[in-house]
């Protein structure tokens, strides 16, 4: 039987950094489910379709095949109709598109099996917004990571700068707050902790301390 660890939480709480490191330590596969929503957001963006136009986005799903694969270093690659879009989906525009399309029930249904299939055969640490509540409700361990909006915006800002993107902090903070609102107020699978999730606040904590703390929780539970 494979083991699944679910990590949910708002944008910038440190999910991907922590999950990636922990997966490496534990020998699990790290699955970033946000990348799937981002790929659909990118497709709609390229077609000039608004993320809020539910019917139009739903109609596009017939044309889309999204797959996750892993390179020889175990790093996740996102394929959109066979094209590696792993880098192209990490822009502020596509973040907002992903948040918008993720509120569409047909989009969530479209991506459900892809996510569940990954956890059937492999030990995974899967991060997202609804992994513990919807995608893998039987996960062995569920963690809900959170931090203040200002801390999360600062981390995202630093990451975008490090990636060579031109950004200003106020814009990043505004996007974080807007995405939190969208992600937690949508009708379907809103961002919220599972009843049996362990709550972990990473505000004002450096990355290594959070990783140590999370690794201890994981080792105690698997
Ligand atoms: O984790 P991320 O920032 O890459 O996610 C991009 C968007 O996708 C996010 O705003 C909400 C959505 N998402 C979701 O609804 N459910 C998931 N399991 C993962 C992401």
């Amino acid at each position: 039987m494979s083991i699944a660890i679910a990590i949910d939480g708002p944008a910038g709480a440190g999910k991907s950094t922590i999950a990636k490191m922990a997966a490496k330590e534990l020998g699990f596969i790290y699955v970033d489910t946000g990348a799937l929503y981002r790929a659909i957001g990118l497709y709609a963006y390229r077609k000039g379709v608004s993320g809020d136009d539910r019917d139009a986005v739903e109609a596009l799903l017939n044309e889309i095949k999204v797959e996750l694969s892993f390179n020889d270093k175990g790093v996740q690659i996102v394929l959109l109709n066979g094209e590696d879009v792993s880098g192209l989906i990490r822009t502020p525009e596509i973040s907002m598109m992903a948040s918008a399309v993720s509120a569409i029930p047909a989009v969530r249904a479209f991506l459900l099996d892809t996510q569940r299939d990954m956890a059937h055969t492999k030990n995974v640490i899967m991060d997202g917004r609804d992994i513990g509540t919807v995608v893998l409700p039987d996960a062995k361990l569920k963690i809900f990571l959170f931090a203040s909006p200002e801390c999360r915006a600062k981390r995202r800002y630093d990451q975008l700068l490090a990636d060579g993107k031109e950004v200003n902090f106020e814009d990043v903070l505004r996007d974080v707050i807007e995405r939190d609102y969208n992600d937690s107020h949508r009708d379907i699978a809103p961002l919220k902790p599972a009843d049996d999730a362990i709550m972990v606040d990473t505000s004002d904590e450096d990355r290594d301390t959070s990783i140590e703390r999370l690794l201890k929780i994981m080792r105690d539970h698997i």
Side-chain angles (χ1 to χ4, degrees):
M1 260 280 277
S2 54
I3 302 172
I5 297 176
I7 304 190
D8 291 301
K15 297 187 301 290
S16 65
T17 312
I18 291 172
K20 224 179 269 172
M21 299 290 292
K24 205 167 164 193
E25 277 294 313
L26 300 175
F28 280 35
I29 300 272
Y30 164 57
V31 182
D32 160 19
T33 62
L36 298 167
Y37 293 91
R38 287 172 179 271
I40 293 184
L42 174 65
Y43 192 83
Y45 183 79
R46 283 175 166 175
K47 290 280 173 182
V49 168
S50 158
D52 297 323
D53 187 341
R54 294 189 166 207
D55 291 343
V57 173
E58 192 169 338
L60 293 179
L61 294 175
N62 297 323
E63 306 166 13
I64 300 178
K65 186 167 183 210
V66 192
E67 296 158 286
L68 294 181
S69 84
F70 298 88
N71 70 14
D72 49 9
K73 293 198 179 79
V75 175
Q76 176 179 292
I77 291 167
V78 195
L79 299 171
L80 172 61
N81 293 334
E83 176 191 354
D84 179 355
V85 294
S86 311
L88 297 173
I89 56 176
R90 304 281 159 202
T91 65
E93 291 78 20
I94 302 307
S95 296
M96 295 311 288
M97 284 297 286
S99 182
V101 301
S102 73
I104 303 172
V107 169
R108 304 202 72 83
F110 180 76
L111 294 175
L112 196 54
D113 286 346
T114 306
Q115 297 170 85
R116 285 189 176 152
D117 287 350
M118 314 251 7
H120 271 149
T121 48
K122 302 179 185 85
N123 292 339
V124 294
I125 299 185
M126 191 174 281
D127 90 23
R129 302 295 188 286
D130 62 337
I131 309 305
T133 50
V134 177
V135 178
L136 304 175
D138 297 327
K140 177 99 177 162
L141 170 64
K142 300 175 188 175
I143 293 167
F144 194 86
L145 270 195
F146 63 102
S148 70
E150 289 73 18
C151 285
R152 291 185 287 118
K154 176 75 171 67
R155 290 176 192 157
R156 191 66 19 137
Y157 173 74
D158 289 345
Q159 192 184 338
L160 288 166
L161 280 191
D163 292 347
K165 308 248 161 63
E166 261 184 47
V167 276
N168 89 50
F169 180 74
E170 293 309 319
D171 291 344
V172 178
L173 178 60
R174 200 196 49 234
D175 281 4
V176 162
I177 292 171
E178 190 178 333
R179 272 218 289 155
D180 281 358
Y181 185 87
N182 290 347
D183 295 347
S184 52
H185 285 79
R186 64 184 178 220
D187 297 337
I188 180 166
L191 169 66
K192 65 165 193 223
D195 292 338
D196 50 351
I198 296 178
M199 304 293 290
V200 178
D201 183 354
T202 67
S203 306
D204 306 318
E205 189 173 78
D206 67 31
R207 197 188 65 168
D208 291 348
T209 310
S210 297
I211 291 169
E212 278 311 309
R213 193 144 71 102
L214 268 290
L215 267 174
K216 172 151 183 13
I217 296 173
M218 290 174 188
R219 289 197 170 109
D220 287 348
H221 283 80
I222 58 174

